[in-house]
Amino acid sequence: MDNLKPNSANSSPLTPLGFLERASIVYGDSTSVVYNHTSYTWSQTHTRCLRVASSIGSWLGVKRGQVVSVISPNIPAMYELHFAVPMAGAVLNTINTRLDARTVSVMLRHSESKLVFVDQLSVDLILDAVSLFPPNSPIPRLVLIADQDEAILPSSSSSKVLDPFYCDYEELVGRGATDFKWLRPENEWDPMILNYTSGTTSSPKGVVHCHRGIFIVTLDSLIDWGVPKQPVFLWTLPMFHANGWCYTWGTAAVGATNICLRRFDGPVILDLIRRHGVTHMCGAPVVLNMLSNTPNVEPLKNPVQILTAGAPPPAAVLHRTESLGFVVSHGYGLTEVGGIVVSCAWKREWNRLPATERARLKARQGVRTVATTEIDVIDLNSGLSVRPDGQTMGEIVLRGGCIMLGYLNDPAGTAKVMSDDGWFYTGDVGVMHSDGYLEIKDRSKDVIISGGENVSSVEVESVLYGHPAVDEAAVVARPDEYWGETPCAFVTVRKGTKVRPTEKEIVAYCREKLPHYMVPKVVVFSDELPKTSTGKIQKSVLKEIAKTMRTSPAVGWSRI
Ligand SMILES: Nc1ncnc2c1ncn2[C@@H]1O[C@H](COP(=O)(O)OP(=O)(O)OP(=O)(O)O)[C@@H](O)[C@H]1O
């Protein structure tokens, strides 16, 4: 067999872009995208993407390997650009619409972006970002995405303000060639995506993924969640957040109907579920919390699959969401791995357990997905696997085909997380249970060390979420002269709570459920917790507040 080698018939570069052409054949007349009064079929989406890709290259002059950015919520153009930009041979960089102008400016310069597609509501943001470019530095071309269905340009958007825009998105569609031969990657390791991390623990880092990695994680995510053909997929997860965990390309593979929406709250989601017969949706735990705290909700008529990841989902929130008729799946991933690489693979026999026990098991992050090569929890001193006792903490490490190529222009940062031993170091601290399922206990930067004991902030938070009056909770370290650090809890109280709990009551509640050293010594009540642009609680901000607190809380916070 020695002379049987890879050849040109069996080694065309892997890429998820081919899913679109296939969808146009198999599902050509079926609805691909719905947004307010606009809808397209898969055949139309295919043609529109080819036209945009053709215009990006031939009219706007973008070359293979150059970066093209998009700043947009979940509207049809955002979906199409996930195909059109890489089909033009360019590298897609989606930018979070909630970032500030300075950060956007840094990202555009860092990525040397050549072209930016800008949703109408981000016009001011992008113009401010561009105005921060140093004199004489090249400015990317701007294309406006004017929303046909919600024609609201920001107040300052007089025609003069729109002058810097080269053209409108629909003009690109109109000018493009339908018979455009899209640029296949020359090599499956060619960069396809540049995503900046959320910046929860440090400044955002530019993660680069290749076609091969995205192909692997996209198919893996469909299999892992058991997504059937032609589901109805509601876009409650921002596509700018790790490309909607790769379901942007995945929905084309299965011919789904993508329900797009600009913004949402609990009632909007529930209304869209009813109107469109939604079968699948994704969201960080904050979305589950929003749904389960929506007043006067009637249980769903048909079960809806909801995949949650991005932050630890407290068991109490999982339980409340499932009692509304959602079927929750729980996954874990990072921008650096493209999507979900670990999930709480559900065992049929667990269905017989009481609901609270099911929720406790489901709150664990779980096992590697089928296409992830290996995961482990290792002791950083010895480099060996920790004991699988559900107690001994270590760092979660991964290896597999969907791990990023590296951080853009940051070899030192890349080397720090991907060392010669072949592991990618996640920076997350976890334990391994005896059944082979792992559970995250914290981010390494958030572990609280009290009297020499490691306290998992996630574990304390999960107890706080079980309190009927607690809406959101975050636990951080507060410096303590005697213990070194002690847990300090920040909580918001649920709307409609008649009798607000006191600090003493919350502490007493935690004492019933946690060892003494894990119980928060201080509980601070607030109307809102600070969040990152991807909706994660900003513990770094809370840590700063906790540091300044001795016996009395900082201004704006109260200990009832
Ligand atoms: N199911 C989950 N349970 C607990 N934590 C999770 C889960 N899924 C993701 N996470 C957390 O989210 C992190 C990945 O988030 P993301 O890639 O959006 O950037 P970030 O880590 O928030 O930002 P930065 O790296 O810039 O601090 C993981 O490292 C982990 O801490």
Side-chain angles (χ1 to χ4, degrees), residues 125-146:
L125 171 64
I126 211 74
L127 295 182
D128 288 348
V130 165
S131 72
L132 297 172
F133 274 47
N136 304 325
S137 53
I139 297 208
R141 260 195 183 148
L142 305 179
V143 173
L144 177 71
I145 309 174

Side-chain angles (χ1 to χ4, degrees), residues 64-291:
R64 198 185 264 279
Q66 291 184 329
V67 172
V68 171
S69 308
V70 187
I71 182 152
S72 166
N74 290 348
I75 56 174
M78 177 63 154
Y79 184 80
E80 290 166 0
L81 287 164
H82 272 79
F83 286 94
V85 170
M87 283 166 110
V91 176
L92 174 71
N93 164 232
T94 53
I95 297 181
N96 189 328
T97 52
R98 295 176 213 138
L99 293 173
D100 59 283
R102 196 196 57 81
T103 310
V104 173
S105 176
V106 169
M107 287 176 176
L108 292 178
R109 275 178 284 147
H110 184 254
S111 62
E112 297 177 38
S113 183
K114 293 289 175 284
L115 175 66
V116 190
F117 288 89
V118 186
D119 172 64
Q120 59 185 20
L121 286 187
S122 297
V123 164
D124 289 347
L125 171 64
I126 211 74
L127 295 182
D128 288 348
V130 165
S131 72
L132 297 172
F133 274 47
N136 304 325
S137 53
I139 297 208
R141 260 195 183 148
L142 305 179
V143 173
L144 177 71
I145 309 174
D147 192 330
Q148 318 293 319
D149 277 9
E150 281 195 41
I152 13 146
L153 284 166
S155 53
S156 58
S157 297
S158 63
S159 55
K160 186 123 193 65
V161 172
L162 296 179
D163 276 356
F165 286 84
Y166 190 76
C167 64
D168 174 85
Y169 182 77
E170 286 302 320
E171 232 179 307
L172 291 191
V173 180
R175 278 178 175 251
T178 45
D179 58 352
F180 176 65
K181 294 272 169 281
W182 60 277
L183 272 66
R184 288 181 180 273
E186 287 165 348
N187 185 309
E188 62 191 23
W189 295 96
D190 285 352
M192 172 176 164
I193 296 301
L194 167 65
N195 284 334
Y196 285 88
T197 60
S198 302
T200 313
T201 56
S202 57
S203 312
K205 295 165 286 230
V207 172
V208 180
H209 283 286
C210 62
H211 285 260
R212 177 180 189 270
I214 296 293
F215 176 87
I216 293 172
V217 71
T218 301
L219 292 191
D220 195 28
S221 302
L222 291 171
I223 293 170
D224 194 69
W225 195 14
V227 180
K229 286 177 185 158
Q230 298 199 279
V232 180
F233 192 96
L234 179 64
W235 274 103
T236 36
L237 173 69
M239 295 184 204
F240 61 65
H241 191 196
N243 310 107
W245 305 337
C246 289
Y247 288 106
T248 37
W249 301 288
T251 54
V254 291
T257 299
N258 292 280
I259 313 293
C260 291
L261 72 177
R262 255 181 192 279
R263 62 190 87 75
F264 60 83
D265 56 20
V268 166
I269 294 177
L270 294 162
D271 178 50
L272 287 171
I273 290 176
R274 262 188 299 271
R275 274 203 284 142
H276 295 286
V278 169
T279 58
H280 288 71
M281 56 188 277
C282 297
V286 63
V287 175
L288 274 60
N289 204 29
M290 174 199 281
L291 280 169

